[in-house]
Amino acid sequence: MISETLDPRLLIVQDTTPTTLPTSNVMENDTRCGEQILRHGNVEKVLIGAILTMLTFLTICGNLLVVISVCFVKKLRQPSNYLIVSLAVADLSVALAVMPFVSITDLIGGQWIFGQVFCNVFIAMDVMCCTASIMTLCVISIDRYLGITKPLTYPVRQSGKCMAKIVLSVWLLSASITLPPLFGWAQNVNDDKVCLISQDVGYTIYSTAVAFYIPISVMLIMYYRIYRAAKVSAAKHTIAGFPRAEDESANCVTAALKLQREVEECTSFSRLLKNDRKNISIFKREQKAATTLGIVVGAFSVCWLPFFLLSTARPFICGVECSCIPFWVERTLLWLGYANSLINPFIYAFFNRDLRTTYRNLLRCKYRNINRKLSAASMQEALKLAERPDLVL
């Protein structure tokens, strides 16, 4: 994201004799940054190209599956899944509009060859798409929290029109971060060989805060609240020695043959049992939401936190003209952040049975009757739950 993809910075080579670089040559760069550009050997190019191409291809395929699944499968076309589609579109845009140019830049050692005009366009696309992905994850965490803690009023809020407005707001806010460098507040570092997002201290603090620090803070708060709700629910509904359904029926028959008072007590107990089954179902949903969001937040933090810490500190360490960070460090952290766009579709599919089923059918080219199969799977799951009313988590 916040593209330093374009920063052709390389490790400072103290000894420029050929013996110090057995597999790579260094070419002088006459940019105002006064840097050097690395020439990779053939083996390095093949290895780097294969890895980056595979990452890009898998990211495209995974997110394309999400978009196709939700758009063409009737059961998945629900307002709650609009955010999942928005996330997939953002990640797909990263893979199509950003990763290929970063890959080419890496293969030629960090030199920007696409011109000054396209540099600004590229940085804007990079910032907007990655920020939209991050902010959509943030909104999804809020949506999950409201669905768990406000089950009565949540369906009213979850209309298609409301979700569409939320998605539009996310993209507009993401686009707003790209505007300052285009309108003169903070100019990008942009010449014939270098294309780097503005290193202005004020802009760096603003962009990293809106694109990362605020969203991750919200995600952590939502995760903590969902986790706490699940924990309280678990303490409420873990009942030792809970009777099985068979015992309940037998007790009711026996009670009916005895006194009327015992019949009333049995009826009351059955009502309590029914309510507890409902509470158990709610608790299971809370537990699943807490687990899913925990993995999402964890993966998101691992992927993006190192990059944004580096991006925030870089202007204070290196100044506003260029970057003094070793090239391989910047590249590793940048691609680690892009990897979040790869794993998002698989995280949500892992916890969503309907998405898993749809993926499986699409990959096997079994396009017909997907909706019928999903309905049958839902019915089968409901029957399993009905057969095991004694299940207590």
Side-chain angles (χ1 to χ4, degrees):
M1 193 233 148
I2 300 189
S3 289
E4 66 244 339
T5 124
L6 327 161
D7 182 17
R9 208 108 9 260
L10 192 47
L11 293 166
I12 298 175
V13 181
Q14 295 181 354
D15 184 1
T16 58
T17 61
T19 57
T20 61
L21 294 171
T23 58
S24 303
N25 295 321
V26 174
M27 178 179 63
E28 288 298 328
N29 180 6
D30 57 357
T31 68
R32 56 181 167 157
C33 290
E35 296 164 351
Q36 295 170 322
I37 294 173
L38 179 67
R39 283 191 191 277
H40 296 298
N42 292 332
V43 176
E44 290 172 310
K45 285 184 178 181
V46 171
L47 183 60
I48 293 172
I51 293 173
L52 300 186
T53 300
M54 181 180 67
L55 289 174
T56 303
F57 177 75
L58 291 176
T59 303
I60 292 173
C61 291
N63 289 284
L64 202 56
L65 267 177
V66 175
V67 175
I68 293 174
S69 298
V70 177
C71 292
F72 292 98
V73 177
K74 185 178 180 180
K75 187 178 179 182
L76 296 175
R77 288 200 299 269
Q78 303 173 9
S80 60
N81 286 332
Y82 289 5
L83 293 173
I84 302 296
V85 173
S86 175
L87 176 65
V89 169
D91 291 335
L92 185 62
S93 300
V94 172
L96 292 174
V98 177
M99 289 185 181
F101 298 101
V102 181
S103 300
I104 295 172
T105 304
D106 284 355
L107 284 175
I108 61 176
Q111 179 181 356
W112 180 254
I113 61 172
F114 300 103
Q116 296 184 21
V117 175
F118 185 70
C119 171
N120 290 324
V121 175
F122 172 82
I123 291 178
M125 286 295 297
D126 187 12
V127 173
M128 182 178 70
C129 295
C130 290
T131 303
S133 176
I134 294 170
M135 295 191 69
T136 302
L137 285 172
C138 175
V139 175
I140 288 174
S141 69
I142 298 174
D143 179 72
R144 295 293 183 265
Y145 171 73
L146 293 176
I148 292 298
T149 59
K150 310 287 183 182
L152 297 180
T153 59
Y154 174 73
V156 177
R157 297 193 191 99
Q158 202 192 31
S159 65
K161 187 177 293 187
C162 178
M163 282 295 179
K165 290 179 180 178
I166 292 174
V167 170
L168 179 62
S169 300
V170 166
W171 281 89
L172 289 177
L173 183 57
S174 302
S176 70
I177 302 179
T178 69
L179 297 179
L182 300 179
F183 290 92
W185 172 22
Q187 294 295 321
N188 296 320
V189 180
N190 181 0
D191 58 25
D192 291 334
K193 300 290 178 63
V194 176
C195 182
L196 177 66
I197 192 170
S198 172
Q199 297 299 290
D200 179 82
V201 174
Y203 175 72
T204 297
I205 294 174
Y206 160 72
S207 60
T208 55
V210 175
F212 179 76
Y213 294 113
I214 294 176
I216 195 175
S217 299
V218 173
M219 291 170 69
L220 289 171
I221 292 172
M222 294 299 102
Y223 170 68
Y224 171 73
R225 290 188 174 182
I226 291 177
Y227 172 77
R228 188 174 62 180
K231 192 173 181 181
V232 170
S233 185
K236 276 184 186 178
H237 303 115
T238 301
I239 304 176
F242 209 84
R244 293 182 175 271
E246 295 85 352
D247 299 333
E248 175 198 354
S249 300
N251 290 338
C252 284
V253 171
T254 304
L257 299 176
K258 294 182 180 180
L259 299 173
Q260 182 65 28
R261 181 177 58 83
E262 294 179 357
V263 175
E264 292 175 356
E265 289 177 356
C266 180
T267 304
S268 176
F269 176 76
S270 299
R271 191 178 300 113
L272 290 174
L273 179 62
K274 183 179 179 181
N275 290 336
D276 201 83
R277 290 175 192 166
K278 181 180 178 181
N279 291 335
I280 290 170
S281 177
I282 294 173
F283 168 62
K284 287 174 67 179
R285 192 170 72 242
E286 292 171 347
Q287 188 182 52
K288 183 178 179 181
T291 303
T292 305
L293 190 56
I295 293 177
V296 169
V297 172
F300 170 73
S301 301
V302 169
C303 290
W304 279 118
L305 182 60
F307 172 82
F308 276 97
L309 289 177
L310 177 66
S311 297
T312 306
R314 185 171 51 195
F316 297 96
I317 298 172
C318 306
V320 299
E321 290 296 323
C322 292
S323 171
C324 58
I325 308 299
F327 183 75
W328 69 271
V329 173
E330 292 188 346
R331 277 302 181 271
T332 301
L333 299 186
L334 178 65
W335 279 99
L336 182 62
Y338 288 154
N340 189 242
S341 296
L342 166 64
I343 64 178
N344 282 333
F346 300 100
I347 291 176
Y348 283 101
F350 182 79
F351 289 98
N352 189 313
R353 177 184 47 77
D354 290 339
L355 271 180
R356 288 199 308 273
T357 304
T358 304
Y359 283 4
R360 194 179 303 116
N361 284 280
L362 290 176
L363 292 174
R364 293 176 180 176
C365 298
K366 296 181 179 179
Y367 309 108
R368 296 183 179 181
N369 301 324
I370 292 181
N371 287 293
R372 187 180 302 173
K373 292 175 183 177
L374 293 179
S375 299
S378 299
M379 182 65 68
Q380 187 176 10
E381 184 177 344
L383 290 174
K384 286 181 180 179
L385 291 175
E387 292 170 358
R388 298 191 61 191
D390 58 314
L391 178 63
V392 179
L393 297 179

